[in-house]
């Protein structure tokens, strides 16, 4: 996949985010108009504030650290990797950890060996760190530590997975952006 | 008729000036403005604590470190202090190609301004904290050449130093108490680091310019970038043209990492292996983040634990220096081989042939004139040093410390 394609893909994905945000705003506006026209009671306003607060929480949660989980299938289709704490857009020069859930045919996979490597597309620079991923003891749940991107641009993360005799890899394209 | 001609002439002459003024407000695209914001000191986060140094933000330790920094008694010949190679008037460098301590070193003295933000110290990152860096230089035979037990003996033997040490760290160890001496030696490094943590870059012309345009106002006259500087900044942040920002990113204009730009021959020149060796030295240092002399919990040593190592691209890779205050920190590169900024530009223009195949430079599409503009832009990063009063000069000599002195010229 070329860098340009990745950027376009990322933009599309951002477009979806914007669409979702747009829907939320539209719905709030309609709700607010209806409440005003109905001369809302204090309880109505309290409910509106609660919904607004939840919306803010959702929007804040859309940041890279608390972002919605990303699910990717491995190349040969053996595994599904669900990532939390890694976003499609990643911050520059910020060391952080992440959670990974590994399943096969819908069932959690325990005790797999997972190695994460990353590469910057255009220059082939590797990650400046060697992140480590370890099984937490909870079925299918793994914890990754030590992820950092030091250069802006398009990166590809590769999760090499070995469980018993099954080996496969999953890739995730991310854009490292200025903050 | 003459009046009309004069008016036309005036208008024609005034036009370029007007266009220069107009540039400041609309010169940059939204994505460029995002990049510019990321480069200003306004985006520099508050200095986080160093978990390995619990005295790092202790003002008494910083004052003590200030005295130690300038104290030539911490060298075998009584003539060398930290400040010998890190002189405040030269923005904490020494103006030499290679630093000279008790002997001649093989490295250019880097600036200490803003260095507290670094994750790695020395050009190959052989240390993971400022305090362990200071200890290494004190003991290095060509720097201060002072074994740790003699350092502690100096502290013990001088009432002024002993008083300050005991007030901050407690009792000094007995001679022969090896672990106690190691711990006290680590404390000396931690005090020096506490001082160095106070040396921060102040806003340069670039910062004031960007702050103004981001605030939607015209930069003050003295903060306006010239056309050359503006063009140089465009080249600097362009991922297609200068590509400088790939490695020189963030408010300190460094990614804090290690890259091979072909300055030396890693395979043929002894000691030029760079990061591939440096990371192993850091991992095995007796004063690293995971050592018993560190105040950090293991979980706070992520930089060391997850450091990339044993990888070919680290061969011949050296630390990316800050680009702030370059005008006072020549010569450049880890071996001081490039005397001027113009020499640095020529290094990139000539695309050195690396002796290993992992050099990161590829051909540039920018012109010689654009290199000149790039150089013009870099001058806008010269700013003041922000530090507590008195920290930019030697401390007043305490009673009984006649040899406490400033740097050699």
């Amino acid at each position: 996949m070329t860098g340009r394609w990745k950027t376009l893909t990322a933009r599309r994905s951002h477009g979806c985010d914007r669409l979702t945000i747009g829907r939320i705003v539209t719905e709030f506006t309609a709700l607010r108009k209806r409440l005003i026209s109905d001369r809302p009671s204090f309880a109505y306003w309290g409910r509106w504030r609660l919904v607004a607060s939840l919306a803010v929480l959702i929007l804040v949660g859309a940041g890279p650290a608390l972002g919605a989980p990303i699910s990717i299938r491995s190349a040969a289709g053996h595994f599904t990797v669900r990532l939390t704490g890694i976003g499609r857009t990643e911050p520059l020069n910020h060391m952080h950890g992440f959670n990974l859930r590994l399943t096969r045919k819908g069932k959690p996979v325990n005790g797999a060996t997972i190695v994460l490597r990353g590469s910057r597309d255009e220059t082939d620079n590797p990650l400046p760190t060697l992140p480590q991923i370890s099984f937490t003891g909870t079925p299918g749940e793994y914890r990754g530590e030590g992820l950092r991107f030091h250069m802006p641009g398009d990166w590809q993360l590769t999760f090499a997975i070995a469980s018993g005799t099954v080996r496969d890899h999953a890739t995730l394209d991310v854009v490292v952006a200025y903050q | 008729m003459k009046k009309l001609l004069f008016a036309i002439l005036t208008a024609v002459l005034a036009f370029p000036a007007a266009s220069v003024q107009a540039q400041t407000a609309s010169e940059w695209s939204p994505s460029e403005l995002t990049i510019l914001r990321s480069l200003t000191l306004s985006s520099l986060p508050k200095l986080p604590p160093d978990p390995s140094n619990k005295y790092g933000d202790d003002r008494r330790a910083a004052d003590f470190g200030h005295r130690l920094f300038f104290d030539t008694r911490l060298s075998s010949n009584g003539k060398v202090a930290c400040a010998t190679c890190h002189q405040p008037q030269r923005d904490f460098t020494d103006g030499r190609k290679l630093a000279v301590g008790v002997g001649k070193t093989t490295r250019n003295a880097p600036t200490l301004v803003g260095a507290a933000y670094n994750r790695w110290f020395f050009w190959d990152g052989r240390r993971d904290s400022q305090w362990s860096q200071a200890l290494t230089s004190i003991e290095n035979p060509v720097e201060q050449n002072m074994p740790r037990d003699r350092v502690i003996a100096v502290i013990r033997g001088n009432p002024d130093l002993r008083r300050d040490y005991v007030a901050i760290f407690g009792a000094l160890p007995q001679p022969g108490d090896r672990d106690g001496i190691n711990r006290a030696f680590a404390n000396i490094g931690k005090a020096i680091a506490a001082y160095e943590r106070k040396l921060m870059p102040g806003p340069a012309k670039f910062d004031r310019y960007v702050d103004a345009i981001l605030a939607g106002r015209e930069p003050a006259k003295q903060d306006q970038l010239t056309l050359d500087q503006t063009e140089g900044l465009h080249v600097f942040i362009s991922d297609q043209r200068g590509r400088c920002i790939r490695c020189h990113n963030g408010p300190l204009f460094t990614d804090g990492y290690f890259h091979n730009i072909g300055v030396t021959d890693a395979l043929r020149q002894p000691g030029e292996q760079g990061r591939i060796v440096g990371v192993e030295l850091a991992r095995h240092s007796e004063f690293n983040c995971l050592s018993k002399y560190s105040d950090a919990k293991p979980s706070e040593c992520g930089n060391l634990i997850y450091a990339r190592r044993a990888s070919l691209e680290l061969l011949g890779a050296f630390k990316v220096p800050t680009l702030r205050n370059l005008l006072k920190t020549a010569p450049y590169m880890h071996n001081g081989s490039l005397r001027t900024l113009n020499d640095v530009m020529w290094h990139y223009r000539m695309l050195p042939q690396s002796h290993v195949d992992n050099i990161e430079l590829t051909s540039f599409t920018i012109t010689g004139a654009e290199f000149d503009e790039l150089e013009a832009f870099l001058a806008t990063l010269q700013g003041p040093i922000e530090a507590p009063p008195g920290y930019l000069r030697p401390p007043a000599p305490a009673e009984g410390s006649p040899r406490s002195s400033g740097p050699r010229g």
Side-chain angles (χ1 to χ4, degrees), chain B residues 211-277:
Chain B
D211 286 347
I213 60 172
L214 287 175
R217 56 185 162 78
E218 190 85 4
K221 193 175 178 185
Q222 68 274 16
D223 298 334
Q224 295 267 342
L225 301 194
T226 66
L227 274 179
D228 274 2
Q229 291 167 341
T230 309
E231 280 307 303
L233 179 51
H234 273 292
V235 172
F236 186 91
I237 66 173
S238 166
D239 200 47
Q240 281 75 45
R241 295 161 75 197
R243 307 193 295 255
C244 317
I245 195 152
R246 290 181 182 175
C247 301
H248 292 285
N249 54 51
L252 295 177
F253 287 80
T254 171
D255 64 0
Y257 197 56
F258 305 85
H259 298 268
N260 181 350
I261 58 165
V263 174
T264 46
D265 182 345
L267 291 183
R268 291 180 181 79
Q269 291 177 253
E272 294 297 325
Q273 286 69 44
R275 179 60 176 167
I276 202 162
V277 172

Side-chain angles (χ1 to χ4, degrees), chain A residues 84 105 142:
Chain A
T84 313
K105 295 174 182 171
Y142 296 76

Side-chain angles (χ1 to χ4, degrees), chain B residues 144-203:
Chain B
Q144 289 172 256
N145 191 31
M146 195 71 163
R148 62 194 71 175
D149 53 344
R150 285 182 59 194
V151 170
I152 303 308
V154 166
I155 304 292
R156 188 184 295 110
N158 288 275
D160 56 315
L161 295 178
R162 186 174 64 234
R163 182 193 61 230
D164 285 356
Y165 179 95
V166 171
I168 301 163
F169 302 109
L172 278 159
Q174 294 301 314
D177 172 6
R178 182 159 296 277
D179 186 57
I181 285 171
N182 285 349
R183 197 164 295 280
F185 188 51
N187 289 338
I188 297 299
K190 289 174 183 179
I192 293 171
Y195 164 68
E196 293 173 341
R197 284 171 62 82
K198 302 290 184 190
L199 309 174
M200 287 295 148

